[in-house]
Amino acid sequence: VTDEWRAVGLRMIEREGRLTERRVWLQGLQSGRMALLLDYAQGGRGFESAWVQGASYRGSLNFYPGQGALRALAASDMQWLDGDALLTQAMLGDPLLQLSQRIVASPLQFAQPLWCAHAGLSYAEGQWFAAWPQTDTQMAPVPVVVSDNEAWRLLALTGGAPVTLFGEWEAGPQIGRWRLLSAWLANVDGDTLTPIWHNRGEML
């Protein structure tokens, strides 16, 4: 799939034996496809390729075969774009419909990408929640995984105003949980999105 891609989420995980796992989530701006680049580094060595949170790229991704395929490999034509490729609210589509379709197609996928526009962040009884909009007047609390430091930094950057959030949806008890990786602010045109926060505490 050849497209312009925006790096919308990056997560680093420390595994046993000094193995570092890196997950890079890319959003296709013409195709609308989400892609997961998954690679590993052993013993403190660096990764073979560099990806920058929020940056834009142009080139091809080769997706692994399967239903609801997310994991992909970057082709040799992938290039960094000097300017930002525009990411808009309209490009995100219906995130809950897309999530349900991906889960049906691949129920064993360990994590699913999930967007939510106009989401707030709140804290209650030792747990952070995203206020997921349901109607013009109602918000549904969704449990999120984010450190206190990162959550307060996000609230400081947004002034508590609703933003577009991106993260990994993880299956779990009851409704599961949402691990926040980035936040995007709508520009004055009300449609294009600018990254304002990414989770810097994701080395787990």
mmCIF file of all heavy atoms in Angstrom, residues 11 13 15 21-23 25 36-38 40 70-71 106-113 168-172 177:
data_model
loop_
_atom_site.group_PDB
_atom_site.id
_atom_site.type_symbol
_atom_site.label_atom_id
_atom_site.label_comp_id
_atom_site.label_asym_id
_atom_site.label_seq_id
_atom_site.Cartn_x
_atom_site.Cartn_y
_atom_site.Cartn_z
ATOM 1 N N ARG A 11 5.465 3.200 20.945
ATOM 2 C CA ARG A 11 5.544 2.591 22.271
ATOM 3 C C ARG A 11 6.763 1.686 22.345
ATOM 4 O O ARG A 11 7.024 0.893 21.440
ATOM 5 C CB ARG A 11 4.276 1.784 22.558
ATOM 6 C CG ARG A 11 4.236 1.194 23.961
ATOM 7 C CD ARG A 11 2.952 0.441 24.201
ATOM 8 N NE ARG A 11 2.991 -0.214 25.507
ATOM 9 C CZ ARG A 11 2.191 -1.193 25.874
ATOM 10 N NH1 ARG A 11 1.267 -1.635 25.035
ATOM 11 N NH2 ARG A 11 2.299 -1.737 27.074
ATOM 12 N N ILE A 13 8.729 -1.189 24.807
ATOM 13 C CA ILE A 13 8.466 -2.125 25.897
ATOM 14 C C ILE A 13 9.746 -2.905 26.180
ATOM 15 O O ILE A 13 10.365 -3.454 25.259
ATOM 16 C CB ILE A 13 7.336 -3.102 25.535
ATOM 17 C CG1 ILE A 13 6.071 -2.340 25.138
ATOM 18 C CG2 ILE A 13 7.035 -4.035 26.704
ATOM 19 C CD1 ILE A 13 4.977 -3.221 24.590
ATOM 20 N N ARG A 15 11.448 -6.077 27.385
ATOM 21 C CA ARG A 15 11.157 -7.491 27.570
ATOM 22 C C ARG A 15 12.308 -8.163 28.322
ATOM 23 O O ARG A 15 13.356 -7.551 28.570
ATOM 24 C CB ARG A 15 10.933 -8.176 26.221
ATOM 25 C CG ARG A 15 9.796 -7.597 25.391
ATOM 26 C CD ARG A 15 8.461 -7.758 26.038
ATOM 27 N NE ARG A 15 7.355 -7.423 25.145
ATOM 28 C CZ ARG A 15 6.092 -7.372 25.510
ATOM 29 N NH1 ARG A 15 5.754 -7.621 26.771
ATOM 30 N NH2 ARG A 15 5.145 -7.054 24.644
ATOM 31 N N GLU A 21 11.178 -4.032 22.655
ATOM 32 C CA GLU A 21 10.162 -4.091 21.597
ATOM 33 C C GLU A 21 9.705 -2.678 21.266
ATOM 34 O O GLU A 21 9.457 -1.875 22.159
ATOM 35 C CB GLU A 21 8.974 -4.926 22.057
ATOM 36 C CG GLU A 21 7.810 -4.949 21.080
ATOM 37 C CD GLU A 21 6.625 -5.738 21.614
ATOM 38 O OE1 GLU A 21 6.847 -6.814 22.216
ATOM 39 O OE2 GLU A 21 5.478 -5.270 21.448
ATOM 40 N N ARG A 22 9.615 -2.379 19.989
ATOM 41 C CA ARG A 22 9.133 -1.067 19.554
ATOM 42 C C ARG A 22 7.909 -1.240 18.658
ATOM 43 O O ARG A 22 7.930 -2.004 17.695
ATOM 44 C CB ARG A 22 10.213 -0.306 18.788
ATOM 45 C CG ARG A 22 9.780 1.097 18.361
ATOM 46 C CD ARG A 22 10.872 1.824 17.599
ATOM 47 N NE ARG A 22 11.141 1.201 16.305
ATOM 48 C CZ ARG A 22 12.014 1.679 15.408
ATOM 49 N NH1 ARG A 22 12.713 2.758 15.693
ATOM 50 N NH2 ARG A 22 12.212 1.056 14.272
ATOM 51 N N ARG A 23 6.849 -0.508 19.005
ATOM 52 C CA ARG A 23 5.644 -0.491 18.190
ATOM 53 C C ARG A 23 5.451 0.913 17.628
ATOM 54 O O ARG A 23 5.396 1.885 18.380
ATOM 55 C CB ARG A 23 4.412 -0.871 19.018
ATOM 56 C CG ARG A 23 4.481 -2.233 19.676
ATOM 57 C CD ARG A 23 3.192 -2.485 20.452
ATOM 58 N NE ARG A 23 3.302 -3.655 21.301
ATOM 59 C CZ ARG A 23 2.363 -4.046 22.147
ATOM 60 N NH1 ARG A 23 1.247 -3.330 22.258
ATOM 61 N NH2 ARG A 23 2.527 -5.111 22.907
ATOM 62 N N TRP A 25 2.859 3.043 15.224
ATOM 63 C CA TRP A 25 1.554 3.057 14.567
ATOM 64 C C TRP A 25 1.531 4.165 13.524
ATOM 65 O O TRP A 25 1.849 5.313 13.814
ATOM 66 C CB TRP A 25 0.443 3.289 15.586
ATOM 67 C CG TRP A 25 0.245 2.144 16.531
ATOM 68 C CD1 TRP A 25 0.724 2.030 17.806
ATOM 69 C CD2 TRP A 25 -0.492 0.948 16.276
ATOM 70 N NE1 TRP A 25 0.345 0.831 18.354
ATOM 71 C CE2 TRP A 25 -0.411 0.145 17.448
ATOM 72 C CE3 TRP A 25 -1.218 0.470 15.183
ATOM 73 C CZ2 TRP A 25 -1.029 -1.104 17.547
ATOM 74 C CZ3 TRP A 25 -1.841 -0.768 15.274
ATOM 75 C CH2 TRP A 25 -1.750 -1.539 16.442
ATOM 76 N N LEU A 36 0.894 -1.248 11.767
ATOM 77 C CA LEU A 36 1.757 -1.454 12.930
ATOM 78 C C LEU A 36 3.109 -1.955 12.452
ATOM 79 O O LEU A 36 3.200 -3.009 11.807
ATOM 80 C CB LEU A 36 1.133 -2.483 13.878
ATOM 81 C CG LEU A 36 2.030 -2.990 15.014
ATOM 82 C CD1 LEU A 36 2.436 -1.855 15.937
ATOM 83 C CD2 LEU A 36 1.334 -4.105 15.790
ATOM 84 N N LEU A 37 4.156 -1.187 12.749
ATOM 85 C CA LEU A 37 5.525 -1.631 12.492
ATOM 86 C C LEU A 37 6.090 -2.133 13.815
ATOM 87 O O LEU A 37 6.218 -1.369 14.773
ATOM 88 C CB LEU A 37 6.373 -0.486 11.946
ATOM 89 C CG LEU A 37 5.819 0.253 10.719
ATOM 90 C CD1 LEU A 37 6.811 1.302 10.248
ATOM 91 C CD2 LEU A 37 5.492 -0.713 9.591
ATOM 92 N N LEU A 38 6.405 -3.415 13.854
ATOM 93 C CA LEU A 38 6.841 -4.061 15.086
ATOM 94 C C LEU A 38 8.256 -4.589 14.889
ATOM 95 O O LEU A 38 8.504 -5.391 13.988
ATOM 96 C CB LEU A 38 5.889 -5.212 15.425
ATOM 97 C CG LEU A 38 6.181 -6.029 16.678
ATOM 98 C CD1 LEU A 38 6.074 -5.167 17.926
ATOM 99 C CD2 LEU A 38 5.223 -7.222 16.761
ATOM 100 N N TYR A 40 12.428 -5.220 17.034
ATOM 101 C CA TYR A 40 13.083 -5.507 18.307
ATOM 102 C C TYR A 40 14.557 -5.123 18.228
ATOM 103 O O TYR A 40 15.173 -5.146 17.152
ATOM 104 C CB TYR A 40 12.963 -7.001 18.642
ATOM 105 C CG TYR A 40 11.537 -7.471 18.792
ATOM 106 C CD1 TYR A 40 10.810 -7.928 17.693
ATOM 107 C CD2 TYR A 40 10.901 -7.445 20.034
ATOM 108 C CE1 TYR A 40 9.496 -8.356 17.824
ATOM 109 C CE2 TYR A 40 9.591 -7.872 20.178
ATOM 110 C CZ TYR A 40 8.894 -8.325 19.073
ATOM 111 O OH TYR A 40 7.593 -8.740 19.207
ATOM 112 N N LEU A 70 -2.859 -5.700 10.281
ATOM 113 C CA LEU A 70 -2.308 -4.443 10.774
ATOM 114 C C LEU A 70 -0.793 -4.394 10.636
ATOM 115 O O LEU A 70 -0.236 -3.359 10.289
ATOM 116 C CB LEU A 70 -2.680 -4.240 12.244
ATOM 117 C CG LEU A 70 -4.120 -3.853 12.567
ATOM 118 C CD1 LEU A 70 -4.369 -3.927 14.066
ATOM 119 C CD2 LEU A 70 -4.441 -2.462 12.046
ATOM 120 N N ARG A 71 -0.136 -5.515 10.925
ATOM 121 C CA ARG A 71 1.318 -5.499 10.938
ATOM 122 C C ARG A 71 1.865 -5.393 9.514
ATOM 123 O O ARG A 71 1.355 -6.020 8.583
ATOM 124 C CB ARG A 71 1.879 -6.759 11.607
ATOM 125 C CG ARG A 71 3.379 -6.664 11.838
ATOM 126 C CD ARG A 71 3.931 -7.872 12.557
ATOM 127 N NE ARG A 71 5.379 -7.751 12.666
ATOM 128 C CZ ARG A 71 6.174 -8.723 13.110
ATOM 129 N NH1 ARG A 71 5.670 -9.871 13.502
ATOM 130 N NH2 ARG A 71 7.487 -8.533 13.164
ATOM 131 N N SER A 106 -9.859 -10.323 13.353
ATOM 132 C CA SER A 106 -8.658 -10.870 13.995
ATOM 133 C C SER A 106 -8.795 -10.739 15.514
ATOM 134 O O SER A 106 -8.181 -9.873 16.132
ATOM 135 C CB SER A 106 -7.407 -10.128 13.499
ATOM 136 O OG SER A 106 -6.234 -10.683 14.048
ATOM 137 N N PRO A 107 -9.582 -11.617 16.142
ATOM 138 C CA PRO A 107 -9.867 -11.474 17.581
ATOM 139 C C PRO A 107 -8.654 -11.711 18.471
ATOM 140 O O PRO A 107 -8.677 -11.312 19.635
ATOM 141 C CB PRO A 107 -10.953 -12.535 17.835
ATOM 142 C CG PRO A 107 -10.821 -13.513 16.712
ATOM 143 C CD PRO A 107 -10.349 -12.729 15.538
ATOM 144 N N LEU A 108 -7.594 -12.320 17.964
ATOM 145 C CA LEU A 108 -6.413 -12.589 18.784
ATOM 146 C C LEU A 108 -5.358 -11.499 18.676
ATOM 147 O O LEU A 108 -4.290 -11.614 19.286
ATOM 148 C CB LEU A 108 -5.801 -13.938 18.395
ATOM 149 C CG LEU A 108 -6.706 -15.161 18.606
ATOM 150 C CD1 LEU A 108 -5.983 -16.436 18.232
ATOM 151 C CD2 LEU A 108 -7.205 -15.230 20.043
ATOM 152 N N GLN A 109 -5.617 -10.452 17.896
ATOM 153 C CA GLN A 109 -4.677 -9.331 17.816
ATOM 154 C C GLN A 109 -4.458 -8.757 19.213
ATOM 155 O O GLN A 109 -5.411 -8.434 19.921
ATOM 156 C CB GLN A 109 -5.225 -8.257 16.870
ATOM 157 C CG GLN A 109 -4.481 -6.945 16.885
ATOM 158 C CD GLN A 109 -3.098 -7.030 16.263
ATOM 159 O OE1 GLN A 109 -2.841 -7.893 15.432
ATOM 160 N NE2 GLN A 109 -2.200 -6.151 16.671
ATOM 161 N N PHE A 110 -3.190 -8.625 19.645
ATOM 162 C CA PHE A 110 -2.879 -8.277 21.033
ATOM 163 C C PHE A 110 -3.265 -6.848 21.388
ATOM 164 O O PHE A 110 -3.542 -6.533 22.534
ATOM 165 C CB PHE A 110 -1.391 -8.503 21.323
ATOM 166 C CG PHE A 110 -0.468 -7.795 20.372
ATOM 167 C CD1 PHE A 110 -0.089 -6.485 20.594
ATOM 168 C CD2 PHE A 110 0.021 -8.460 19.254
ATOM 169 C CE1 PHE A 110 0.764 -5.839 19.715
ATOM 170 C CE2 PHE A 110 0.878 -7.817 18.376
ATOM 171 C CZ PHE A 110 1.254 -6.498 18.606
ATOM 172 N N ALA A 111 -3.261 -5.947 20.436
ATOM 173 C CA ALA A 111 -3.647 -4.553 20.694
ATOM 174 C C ALA A 111 -4.235 -3.986 19.407
ATOM 175 O O ALA A 111 -3.773 -4.306 18.314
ATOM 176 C CB ALA A 111 -2.452 -3.719 21.142
ATOM 177 N N GLN A 112 -5.240 -3.144 19.569
ATOM 178 C CA GLN A 112 -5.919 -2.551 18.427
ATOM 179 C C GLN A 112 -5.772 -1.034 18.477
ATOM 180 O O GLN A 112 -5.890 -0.431 19.546
ATOM 181 C CB GLN A 112 -7.410 -2.909 18.449
ATOM 182 C CG GLN A 112 -7.711 -4.386 18.308
ATOM 183 C CD GLN A 112 -7.612 -4.869 16.866
ATOM 184 O OE1 GLN A 112 -7.367 -4.073 15.948
ATOM 185 N NE2 GLN A 112 -7.800 -6.158 16.654
ATOM 186 N N PRO A 113 -5.515 -0.390 17.323
ATOM 187 C CA PRO A 113 -5.435 1.083 17.317
ATOM 188 C C PRO A 113 -6.824 1.688 17.477
ATOM 189 O O PRO A 113 -7.807 1.168 16.951
ATOM 190 C CB PRO A 113 -4.850 1.383 15.932
ATOM 191 C CG PRO A 113 -5.317 0.231 15.081
ATOM 192 C CD PRO A 113 -5.320 -0.972 15.992
ATOM 193 N N GLU A 168 -3.715 2.459 22.092
ATOM 194 C CA GLU A 168 -3.923 1.030 21.868
ATOM 195 C C GLU A 168 -5.065 0.538 22.758
ATOM 196 O O GLU A 168 -5.028 0.723 23.976
ATOM 197 C CB GLU A 168 -2.662 0.229 22.204
ATOM 198 C CG GLU A 168 -1.487 0.492 21.287
ATOM 199 C CD GLU A 168 -0.271 -0.346 21.657
ATOM 200 O OE1 GLU A 168 -0.268 -0.953 22.754
ATOM 201 O OE2 GLU A 168 0.673 -0.402 20.862
ATOM 202 N N TRP A 169 -6.055 -0.091 22.132
ATOM 203 C CA TRP A 169 -7.137 -0.689 22.891
ATOM 204 C C TRP A 169 -6.750 -2.121 23.255
ATOM 205 O O TRP A 169 -6.368 -2.909 22.397
ATOM 206 C CB TRP A 169 -8.430 -0.694 22.089
ATOM 207 C CG TRP A 169 -9.558 -1.318 22.859
ATOM 208 C CD1 TRP A 169 -10.085 -2.557 22.700
ATOM 209 C CD2 TRP A 169 -10.271 -0.719 23.943
ATOM 210 N NE1 TRP A 169 -11.081 -2.769 23.614
ATOM 211 C CE2 TRP A 169 -11.223 -1.667 24.394
ATOM 212 C CE3 TRP A 169 -10.193 0.524 24.572
ATOM 213 C CZ2 TRP A 169 -12.087 -1.396 25.449
ATOM 214 C CZ3 TRP A 169 -11.059 0.780 25.626
ATOM 215 C CH2 TRP A 169 -11.990 -0.160 26.048
ATOM 216 N N GLU A 170 -6.820 -2.425 24.543
ATOM 217 C CA GLU A 170 -6.440 -3.739 25.038
ATOM 218 C C GLU A 170 -7.658 -4.419 25.641
ATOM 219 O O GLU A 170 -8.376 -3.820 26.450
ATOM 220 C CB GLU A 170 -5.335 -3.605 26.104
ATOM 221 C CG GLU A 170 -4.097 -2.888 25.606
ATOM 222 C CD GLU A 170 -3.115 -2.582 26.731
ATOM 223 O OE1 GLU A 170 -3.506 -2.711 27.914
ATOM 224 O OE2 GLU A 170 -1.978 -2.205 26.429
ATOM 225 N N ALA A 171 -7.901 -5.659 25.257
ATOM 226 C CA ALA A 171 -9.010 -6.412 25.828
ATOM 227 C C ALA A 171 -8.746 -6.652 27.308
ATOM 228 O O ALA A 171 -7.597 -6.749 27.744
ATOM 229 C CB ALA A 171 -9.174 -7.743 25.103
ATOM 230 N N GLY A 172 -9.807 -6.713 28.081
ATOM 231 C CA GLY A 172 -9.644 -6.925 29.508
ATOM 232 C C GLY A 172 -10.979 -7.109 30.180
ATOM 233 O O GLY A 172 -12.007 -7.270 29.517
ATOM 234 N N ARG A 177 -9.437 -1.647 28.306
ATOM 235 C CA ARG A 177 -8.808 -0.381 28.654
ATOM 236 C C ARG A 177 -8.071 0.176 27.448
ATOM 237 O O ARG A 177 -7.728 -0.557 26.508
ATOM 238 C CB ARG A 177 -7.854 -0.554 29.828
ATOM 239 C CG ARG A 177 -6.710 -1.531 29.571
ATOM 240 C CD ARG A 177 -5.861 -1.714 30.805
ATOM 241 N NE ARG A 177 -4.637 -2.456 30.508
ATOM 242 C CZ ARG A 177 -3.669 -2.642 31.387
ATOM 243 N NH1 ARG A 177 -3.764 -2.138 32.600
ATOM 244 N NH2 ARG A 177 -2.587 -3.315 31.062
#
